[in-house]
Amino acid sequence: MRTRGRTPAPPGDRESGRNAVTHTNDRVFVTVARHDEKTALVSVRDQGPGIDAEHLPHVFDRFYRVDPSRSRAHGGTGLGLAIAAALVEAHHGRIEVESVAGEGATFRVTLPFMSGSA
């Protein structure tokens, strides 16, 4: 599992959703829920090819592409997840990915509620 961010809660986003749709042959599941009293959880899970464990430490790095040829065919630059991670972190959240090759991937974003909104 790869994690980035500041909040201590377990942890998808628009870019993760787009990646899930692009890299799956089946359905994509999106869940939005209150995680606890202070945070919301967005989860994006696909049933695509998954991500090999060796790539998980790098998926949020700028310009990193798990499969450069496939990403180029879909117009990917390797920036989407890096931008998503930067936005989540700027809002004091956390983003993480969990995946097993051949079984799909799950991206989770945990964000704190704004003051007075919980």
Side-chain angles (χ1 to χ4, degrees):
M1 182 179 334
R2 170 72 195 273
T3 303
R4 286 187 55 169
R6 298 183 188 119
T7 54
D13 62 80
R14 185 174 173 185
E15 187 62 31
S16 291
R18 184 180 340 200
N19 284 342
V21 171
T22 301
H23 299 293
T24 190
N25 295 326
D26 212 338
R27 294 183 283 181
V28 175
F29 302 90
V30 178
T31 305
V32 179
R34 178 184 292 257
H35 180 260
D36 58 30
E37 290 300 314
K38 297 182 180 182
T39 59
L41 171 68
V42 179
S43 176
V44 178
R45 179 172 56 94
D46 69 35
Q47 297 175 330
I51 303 166
D52 289 328
E54 68 192 71
H55 297 291
L56 290 176
H58 309 287
V59 295
F60 298 112
D61 296 347
R62 286 183 291 157
F63 304 111
Y64 189 81
R65 295 184 292 187
V66 171
D67 181 346
S69 63
R70 183 176 70 186
S71 295
R72 192 172 298 123
H74 291 291
T77 61
L79 288 173
L81 290 173
I83 292 169
L87 289 169
V88 169
E89 290 175 8
H91 289 87
H92 306 287
R94 178 176 168 155
I95 185 169
E96 64 183 38
V97 59
E98 190 172 320
S99 182
V100 175
E103 296 182 17
T106 301
F107 286 82
R108 293 182 192 91
V109 171
T110 304
L111 292 167
F113 291 119
M114 293 173 36
S115 294
S117 66

